[in-house]
Amino acid sequence: MNQAEMQDLQDGIERIMEIANEFGLKYFPMRFEVCPADIIYTFGAYGMPTRYNHWSFGKSFHRMKMDYDFGLSRIYELVVNSDPCYAFLLDTNSVLENKTVAAHVLGHSDFFRNNAAFAMTSRDMVDRMASNAQRIHSYELEYGRDRVEKLLDAGMALQQHVDASRTGKQWRTRAEHDGKAALSGGPEATPSRRQTPYDDLWNLDGGGDGNGGTGAGSASSADKGKADTKSSRRKIPPFPERDVMWFLIHHSPILEEWERDVLSLLREEMLYFWPQLETKIMNEGWASLWHLRIMRELDLPETDAVDFAKMHSGVVMPSRTSINPYHIGLAIWQDIEKRWDKPSKEERERFGREPGQGRNKIFEVREMENDVSFLRNYLTKELVEELDLYLYEKVGNEWRIVEKDWEKIRDQICASRTNGGIPLVAVNDGDYNQNGELYLKHAYEGVELDIKYMEHTMPYLHQLWGRNCHLQSVVENRDVVFTYDGKKMMRKFM
């Protein structure tokens, strides 16, 4: 971009931000950077401007850069959820394209700042990832690059199995504060009660040591031995732990402290990205809604208006084989606003819905929902029919439409977005067979695991745990347990 184009872009972004403010968007302070393709695609491959080195990032960079060089695809937007919010613009884009991207990322920034799913994310993650990269590099110097890379391979294969829920975080924070003994369910699991002069009275009911108490309040040595044995065999964890990464970090019997630190960094970064997995459809639809409205408010020349229409239609074009989050997200947001602006007679009588509330409603939904609740609550029968959504599968040698019922279509899309689209796997037992083996269970809800992917992942789990690892799931409606013993994969139908 030459100097005149840069000035035009700067003036355009200032006007775009004014329009966004008039619409009521509340975004983070923005930092726009115009970068060459190599830089943009490096950021796209690494996921952030600053991050540790790994061969998979280089692989992603070369694939995306080759697609760009051959004109097969292009990164239009790259925005970082941080305060201030960083947005990167491609210097080979036209001024109009970069103005559109600027309007789009303002919508993203507003969503990052106000949606409840992002409330617990670290807004200084750019700096933290730079610090994480330095720590991992220091481990490479101390322990060797090969050893660190082998650990990163295992950690990145499992890093999506985390729990970003607020209740989960509160429980794990409390457990970490209490120490590892509290996690084991052993005798130290219950914090000791403060000693008082009346402890002998409480012991009459509980069978304690009965200092000063009667024989009825004292437990025999045999009874106490049985109790200790039973207590020491309590299940680890006491209930299924869906944050597999956290469990490995705190309970693996073979990891060294520096290895636990590296895995903790991977887990921290995954928790930062997790809300984006849970709100992909909402987030992209919201940004598309506002870039469309903001660009319409600009006084674009006729040729630019046509070019913008082509660009916008290319972004929100429905896919023949999958869900385009830009397309379905935008359609739902527009439908919500329309239905709350002009409620039907039935909606007025049944819900007391007053006309003209569309703008307030979409801002309310933007704040409170995630993809699953967004789709379940607002993907209506009329919208499914209008978007011509359907389910298809391979029947024999042909792909055929197998379902047009709107509720089943909605439920299937919701199921695909549950847990960010990641299979829900929980640790059921960290001392399986009383031999320190690891037993996990897949929460099967009609969708089978990718067996080939699972068989490639189990060795990494074994690498981090050090003993036999088991995974229970369902294949062809039958319960099956997959076991990896460090050398080979076995399966046993139950």
Side-chain angles (χ1 to χ4, degrees), residues 17-62:
M17 295 177 75
E18 290 177 2
I19 296 172
N21 294 334
E22 293 170 2
F23 277 131
L25 297 185
K26 299 178 181 179
Y27 45 84
F28 289 117
M30 299 298 300
R31 302 288 186 269
F32 292 96
E33 298 284 346
V34 179
C35 304
D38 284 353
I39 300 299
I40 290 286
Y41 281 87
T42 298
F43 293 169
Y46 278 73
M48 290 288 280
T50 54
R51 211 172 180 194
Y52 59 88
N53 293 321
H54 190 258
W55 61 265
S56 64
F57 299 147
K59 180 180 177 181
S60 297
F61 169 79
H62 284 292

Side-chain angles (χ1 to χ4, degrees), residues 314-345:
V315 170
V316 301
M317 181 184 301
S319 170
R320 296 176 60 186
T321 58
S322 61
I323 292 293
N324 179 353
Y326 298 84
H327 171 63
I328 192 171
L330 174 61
I332 295 176
W333 284 117
Q334 291 176 325
D335 185 65
I336 294 172
E337 187 170 23
K338 181 181 69 175
R339 290 194 292 122
W340 262 260
D341 269 340
K342 300 178 180 179
S344 64
K345 181 179 179 180

Side-chain angles (χ1 to χ4, degrees), residues 172-278:
R172 275 173 279 278
T173 300
R174 185 168 63 249
E176 291 170 8
H177 181 267
D178 292 342
K180 292 182 180 179
L183 299 176
S184 69
E188 299 85 355
T190 304
S192 59
R193 182 168 45 82
R194 183 172 61 87
Q195 298 294 318
T196 73
Y198 307 104
D199 282 346
D200 58 336
L201 296 178
W202 312 133
N203 288 337
L204 292 176
D205 293 329
D209 60 11
N211 291 335
T214 65
S218 301
S220 67
S221 298
D223 290 339
K224 287 199 291 183
K226 292 178 180 178
D228 289 343
T229 301
K230 182 178 180 182
S231 177
S232 65
R233 290 180 180 175
R234 286 179 183 171
K235 196 174 173 184
I236 307 171
F239 51 84
E241 175 55 71
R242 59 180 289 188
D243 197 323
V244 178
M245 283 288 286
W246 181 88
F247 187 84
L248 292 171
I249 292 166
H250 288 84
H251 290 279
S252 172
I254 64 168
L255 292 178
E256 299 178 22
E257 284 306 311
W258 73 270
E259 293 175 310
R260 298 182 198 277
D261 185 40
V262 171
L263 293 180
S264 296
L265 300 182
L266 297 184
R267 177 175 176 270
E268 176 189 40
E269 293 185 4
M270 191 67 238
L271 290 173
Y272 166 81
F273 289 117
W274 191 261
Q276 298 179 43
L277 297 179
E278 289 188 312

Side-chain angles (χ1 to χ4, degrees), residues 28-31 80-87 109 123-124 126-127:
F28 289 117
M30 299 298 300
R31 302 288 186 269
V80 178
N81 169 28
S82 60
D83 184 7
C85 184
Y86 294 92
S109 183
R123 306 298 186 179
D124 60 345
V126 174
D127 295 332

Side-chain angles (χ1 to χ4, degrees), residues 216-450:
S218 301
S220 67
S221 298
D223 290 339
K224 287 199 291 183
K226 292 178 180 178
D228 289 343
T229 301
K230 182 178 180 182
S231 177
S232 65
R233 290 180 180 175
R234 286 179 183 171
K235 196 174 173 184
I236 307 171
F239 51 84
E241 175 55 71
R242 59 180 289 188
D243 197 323
V244 178
M245 283 288 286
W246 181 88
F247 187 84
L248 292 171
I249 292 166
H250 288 84
H251 290 279
S252 172
I254 64 168
L255 292 178
E256 299 178 22
E257 284 306 311
W258 73 270
E259 293 175 310
R260 298 182 198 277
D261 185 40
V262 171
L263 293 180
S264 296
L265 300 182
L266 297 184
R267 177 175 176 270
E268 176 189 40
E269 293 185 4
M270 191 67 238
L271 290 173
Y272 166 81
F273 289 117
W274 191 261
Q276 298 179 43
L277 297 179
E278 289 188 312
T279 59
K280 178 69 174 178
I281 292 176
M282 285 184 71
N283 200 345
E284 296 297 357
W286 183 256
S288 299
L289 175 72
W290 291 110
H291 86 232
L292 177 61
R293 295 191 173 178
I294 290 171
M295 295 302 291
R296 283 175 175 172
E297 293 295 316
L298 294 179
D299 187 17
L300 295 175
E302 184 176 338
T303 55
D304 282 355
V306 173
D307 289 341
F308 166 72
K310 290 180 180 178
M311 180 181 176
H312 172 75
S313 62
V315 170
V316 301
M317 181 184 301
S319 170
R320 296 176 60 186
T321 58
S322 61
I323 292 293
N324 179 353
Y326 298 84
H327 171 63
I328 192 171
L330 174 61
I332 295 176
W333 284 117
Q334 291 176 325
D335 185 65
I336 294 172
E337 187 170 23
K338 181 181 69 175
R339 290 194 292 122
W340 262 260
D341 269 340
K342 300 178 180 179
S344 64
K345 181 179 179 180
E346 179 184 358
E347 290 172 331
R348 293 186 188 186
E349 295 175 351
R350 186 176 179 183
F351 304 112
R353 190 177 298 168
E354 296 296 329
Q357 298 300 312
R359 181 67 56 82
N360 292 335
K361 181 62 180 179
I362 60 173
F363 277 102
E364 175 191 319
V365 173
R366 172 263 271 152
E367 183 176 350
M368 302 302 297
E369 311 284 357
N370 61 21
D371 275 352
V372 175
S373 59
F374 181 66
L375 292 164
R376 188 165 295 281
N377 293 333
Y378 302 106
L379 183 58
T380 63
K381 176 182 179 181
E382 293 76 17
L383 199 54
V384 168
E385 293 174 350
E386 179 183 335
L387 297 175
D388 193 23
L389 299 178
Y390 54 83
L391 301 179
Y392 70 97
E393 65 182 34
K394 197 167 188 178
V395 180
N397 294 323
E398 296 181 353
W399 291 98
R400 295 183 182 178
I401 295 175
V402 295
E403 189 59 69
K404 292 285 287 185
D405 181 84
W406 78 273
E407 289 183 318
K408 293 181 179 179
I409 294 170
R410 179 201 62 190
D411 292 345
Q412 182 63 39
I413 300 175
C414 288
S416 70
R417 301 304 308 147
T418 301
N419 199 44
I422 308 300
L424 181 55
V425 176
V427 178
N428 267 35
D429 196 343
D431 189 23
Y432 185 62
N433 289 331
Q434 298 181 16
N435 192 33
E437 299 177 10
L438 188 63
Y439 193 98
L440 297 90
K441 187 174 182 179
H442 169 222
Y444 176 76
E445 294 183 346
V447 179
E448 294 183 2
L449 292 175
D450 183 334

